[in-house]
Amino acid sequence: MTSKHFIALATIILFCAITVNHMAKSVLEKLFNGKHRQMEFVPIVDALGPESVAFDRLGDGPYTGVSDGRIIKWQENEQRWISFATTSPKREGCEGQHDHRETEQNCGRPLGICFSEATGDLYIADAYMGLLKVGPEGGLATRIATHAQGSPFKFINGLDINQSDGSIYFTDSSSLYQRRNYIPLILTGDKTGRLMKYEQESKQVTILLTNLSFPNGVALGKDGSFLLFAETTNCRIMRYWLTTSKAATLETFAQLPGFPDNIKRSPRGGFWVAMHSRRHMIISWILSYPQVGSALIKLLPIDIMKAYSVWSKCSGTGLAMRLSEDGEILETLEHKSGKTMRSMSEVQEKDGHLWIGSINMPFIGLYRI
Ligand SMILES: *[C@@H]1O[C@H](CO)[C@@H](O)[C@H](O)[C@H]1NC(C)=O
Ligand SMILES: *[C@@H]1O[C@H](CO)[C@@H](O)[C@H](O)[C@H]1NC(C)=O
């Protein structure tokens, strides 16, 4: 074993040890006092990672984007998934069992999805293909934007639609790192993410904010006076005012105990925020010294993403919180027993059910409230 291998191995062991220790301690935390609910699993065959969940204007679905680049639709009466849409015209070698991280650049990786109630079109934030839309019949989606004010997108991630004028608010998580490299994106403290707006009439993209640290999920407030977006690296939700005397200003809406992914409005009020994992002490430490993160990445002779997947197996579970319109915690959801939901990417609430997406699980979680 070379010294580099030894350092890599030692780092992983340290991550695991700290994580286990951290989990034992966190049992004492107040946040755990939510009701214990039984989760069901809706399996997905030959693909992983149902990242975002949406229902069409008839209430059918859910629809979700998965690791092989497809958007699939749940047929409730047949109890199975069918293929609905794709984001890339190249489909050769995309489907089937292999590591989709190696093909997602060509096959597409649909992340945030949202239906327009007026037209029935599905809008898709694809990490590699940009902003797309597809009609109610599905098929190959059309690209509607691939760059903003001359600079190309790198990692399109979350979106929400203003249902009355059709404008779309969406995030580009980084101008340097693609989705496959989201761990270095976090560890280097990258600040090149953007929040943008696409307008239906002009078909133009406007940049609203730059220099963001991994902007991710987006959700408009109920009255449209503000929008929220997750800033993943900083473990927080930001509020960007669209109207009122505070228009065009930014403030911290909520500080979280984990790395937030998508945000969805709840029909019972407030917002569901799904978290990839709890924020561990070691990561907090690395993030307070971004040069350490960069050095670690250069030093490690192994694929940092592979190391992370080993680490995530020994680390905790995904977590979600429902926050009020003022950023207070209303409810906490954490899956602690049985088949583990290792990470959560989205919680979509509909008719007393919580549909739970994840970036790396071969199923959607389903809770009946
Ligand atoms: C964003 O960061 C760049 C580089 O650090 C800096 O030059 C620029 O002024 C920043 N822009 C804003 C709007 O803060
Ligand atoms: C949608 O846009 C309209 C017109 O620009 C605005 O009045 C409304 O507040 C917005 N609604 C939301 C939910 O953003």
Side-chain angles (χ1 to χ4, degrees):
M1 198 191 286
T2 68
S3 62
K4 276 189 176 178
H5 284 105
F6 179 76
I7 293 169
L9 192 66
T11 310
I12 293 172
I13 292 170
L14 184 69
F15 274 176
C16 286
I18 290 176
T19 304
V20 169
N21 181 28
H22 180 79
M23 279 170 68
K25 272 192 208 140
S26 61
V27 174
L28 300 173
E29 280 177 32
K30 256 191 171 166
L31 291 171
F32 275 67
N33 61 12
K35 278 176 280 178
H36 191 81
R37 300 184 178 106
Q38 203 63 43
M39 178 151 41
E40 293 163 41
F41 299 94
V42 182
I44 292 166
V45 181
D46 281 348
L48 302 170
E51 206 258 355
S52 174
V53 179
F55 292 87
D56 63 26
R57 59 178 167 174
L58 304 172
D60 289 342
Y63 298 69
T64 188
V66 290
S67 60
D68 63 11
R70 286 177 305 144
I71 307 233
I72 55 177
K73 177 186 180 186
W74 178 244
Q75 295 284 64
E76 179 67 40
N77 50 0
E78 297 168 33
Q79 293 285 297
R80 69 183 183 103
W81 295 97
I82 57 163
S83 292
F84 175 72
T86 50
T87 53
S88 167
K90 290 185 225 143
R91 294 302 303 162
E92 219 180 285
C94 295
E95 285 163 42
Q97 279 188 340
H98 60 272
D99 188 345
H100 291 135
R101 278 174 305 185
E102 280 153 25
T103 49
E104 65 182 35
Q105 268 194 102
N106 295 323
C107 301
R109 180 57 170 109
L111 299 175
I113 57 173
C114 197
F115 278 95
S116 157
E117 283 160 19
T119 63
D121 291 335
L122 178 68
Y123 285 86
I124 306 158
D126 186 291
Y128 300 88
M129 304 296 150
L131 190 64
L132 304 97
K133 80 169 175 187
V134 67
E137 304 307 319
L140 177 63
T142 313
R143 284 178 166 196
I144 58 173
T146 54
H147 60 273
Q149 296 170 8
S151 63
F153 301 154
K154 191 79 174 179
F155 177 178
I156 295 299
N157 196 331
L159 87 178
D160 198 9
I161 300 182
N162 174 329
Q163 295 291 358
S164 55
D165 70 3
S167 46
I168 297 164
Y169 295 89
F170 64 107
T171 53
D172 191 12
S173 294
S174 169
S175 306
L176 298 176
Y177 293 94
Q178 289 187 306
R179 196 205 81 85
R180 292 169 298 147
N181 296 318
Y182 73 94
I183 295 303
L185 160 52
I186 291 179
L187 291 183
T188 56
D190 178 75
K191 285 196 189 76
T192 61
R194 303 182 285 182
L195 173 71
M196 293 170 291
K197 180 184 184 185
Y198 172 83
E199 274 170 70
Q200 290 295 347
E201 227 163 77
S202 66
K203 303 200 183 325
Q204 294 299 309
V205 176
T206 321
I207 301 171
L208 302 177
L209 292 169
T210 56
N211 293 7
L212 302 173
S213 299
F214 203 157
N216 200 328
V218 181
L220 283 159
K222 212 162 118 196
D223 68 357
S225 61
F226 65 87
L227 67 75
L228 300 182
F229 68 90
E231 215 183 15
T232 300
T233 306
N234 293 331
C235 293
R236 64 187 182 181
I237 305 296
M238 303 301 289
R239 180 187 348 228
Y240 180 71
W241 290 93
L242 296 167
T243 61
T244 78
S245 58
K246 293 192 208 163
T249 63
L250 187 64
E251 65 191 26
T252 301
F253 179 76
Q255 196 68 51
L256 302 166
F259 294 98
D261 198 332
N262 289 335
I263 314 172
K264 288 286 159 181
R265 267 189 318 283
S266 159
R268 289 176 298 139
F271 305 86
W272 276 110
V273 174
M275 278 165 263
H276 185 75
S277 57
R278 283 187 170 272
R279 183 183 173 124
H280 302 295
M281 275 143 43
I282 185 91
I283 297 283
S284 311
W285 179 74
I286 291 172
L287 288 178
S288 51
Y289 302 96
Q291 21 350 340
V292 175
S294 307
L296 203 61
I297 285 159
K298 287 198 197 100
L299 193 67
L300 292 181
I302 48 168
D303 181 343
I304 187 99
M305 296 304 295
K306 291 217 175 85
Y308 177 75
S309 70
V310 173
W311 172 44
S312 67
K313 287 199 177 93
C314 65
S315 83
T317 56
L319 171 72
M321 281 176 180
R322 187 160 67 94
L323 303 177
S324 74
E325 294 245 339
D326 300 315
E328 289 143 16
I329 300 170
L330 300 174
E331 236 177 317
T332 301
L333 185 70
E334 186 160 32
H335 190 66
K336 285 190 292 175
S337 60
K339 199 162 148 193
T340 308
M341 192 91 197
R342 281 203 306 270
S343 72
M344 293 186 193
S345 57
E346 181 169 304
V347 174
Q348 177 74 263
E349 179 175 338
K350 184 173 181 289
D351 305 331
H353 291 76
L354 302 180
W355 295 83
I356 300 167
S358 164
I359 197 68
N360 50 20
M361 297 285 114
F363 52 79
I364 279 191
L366 178 60
Y367 274 108
R368 294 165 206 277
I369 304 175

